[in-house]
Amino acid sequence: MAIERTLSIIKPDATRRNLTGQINAALEGSGLRIVAQKRVRLNAAQAEAFYVVHKDRPFYRGLVEFMSSGPVVVQVLEGENAVARNREVMGATDPKKAASGTIRARFAEDIEANSVHGSDSAENAAAEIAFFFSAFEIPG
C-alpha cells in the first residue's frame, strides 16, 4: 500500500458548531495522521481560486459564498491510500446518501454545508495542498 497525502478542509458549518475535534478524531481513528493544520478565513477571491474547477457549475457562486462565510480548518492528512481513505471516512457529498457513521452522515447540515472537503485524486491532492501550505509548513 502506498503512503499518500491528501488535503482535508473542515468547512465553516462545522467550525461554527465546534466540531473540529470530533472530525479530527474520526479522521485519526481511521488511520490517517494529521501532519499539518491551520485555521484560516478565505476571502471570496481565495475561495474562487480554490474552486475554479467548478466555475461553470450552477452551485459555484453559492459554494464561494459559503466557503468564505467563516473560518475553515485546512489540513494535510497522511496514510496508506490517504485520498481514498479520507473520502470513505467523509461519506457521500449528499449527507442523505452518506453511509452511517461517516463524517457527513453525522455532522452535515445539507449537501452544501456538508462539513468537510477532501481531495478526489492524488494529483488534485498535491495541487490543493500547495494552494494552502508551503513545503516549510509540512514536516517530514
Side-chain angles (χ1 to χ4, degrees):
M1 296 276 159
I3 299 296
E4 293 179 329
R5 287 186 171 166
T6 190
L7 183 82
S8 170
I9 302 176
I10 302 175
K11 295 181 177 183
D13 63 295
T15 62
R16 176 178 39 80
R17 293 178 290 142
N18 296 318
L19 297 173
T20 301
Q22 292 178 68
I23 290 171
N24 283 342
L27 294 169
E28 291 178 324
S30 76
L32 293 166
R33 191 167 68 97
I34 301 167
V35 297
Q37 179 185 72
K38 58 187 171 183
R39 184 178 297 262
V40 298
R41 174 87 186 248
L42 298 173
N43 62 35
Q46 291 165 326
E48 287 171 353
F50 184 75
Y51 287 107
V52 70
V53 297
H54 298 303
K55 71 179 179 199
D56 295 326
R57 310 283 290 276
F59 60 82
Y60 176 69
R61 185 57 36 210
L63 177 61
V64 167
E65 290 172 9
F66 170 64
M67 290 301 291
S68 58
S69 70
V72 298
V73 175
V74 293
Q75 46 200 12
V76 179
L77 306 177
E78 183 179 81
E80 288 187 12
N81 297 310
V83 172
R85 182 173 303 224
N86 183 41
R87 295 189 70 75
E88 182 180 317
V89 173
M90 287 190 311
T93 303
D94 182 346
K96 294 175 186 168
K97 298 177 182 173
S100 177
T102 61
I103 291 169
R104 289 177 172 150
R106 292 172 59 198
F107 302 121
E109 294 178 323
D110 57 46
I111 195 166
E112 181 180 84
N114 62 13
S115 299
V116 287
H117 163 91
S119 304
D120 62 3
S121 69
E123 297 76 26
N124 284 343
E128 291 180 350
I129 289 168
F131 185 90
F132 286 106
F133 293 92
S134 69
F136 177 77
E137 294 176 296
I138 305 171

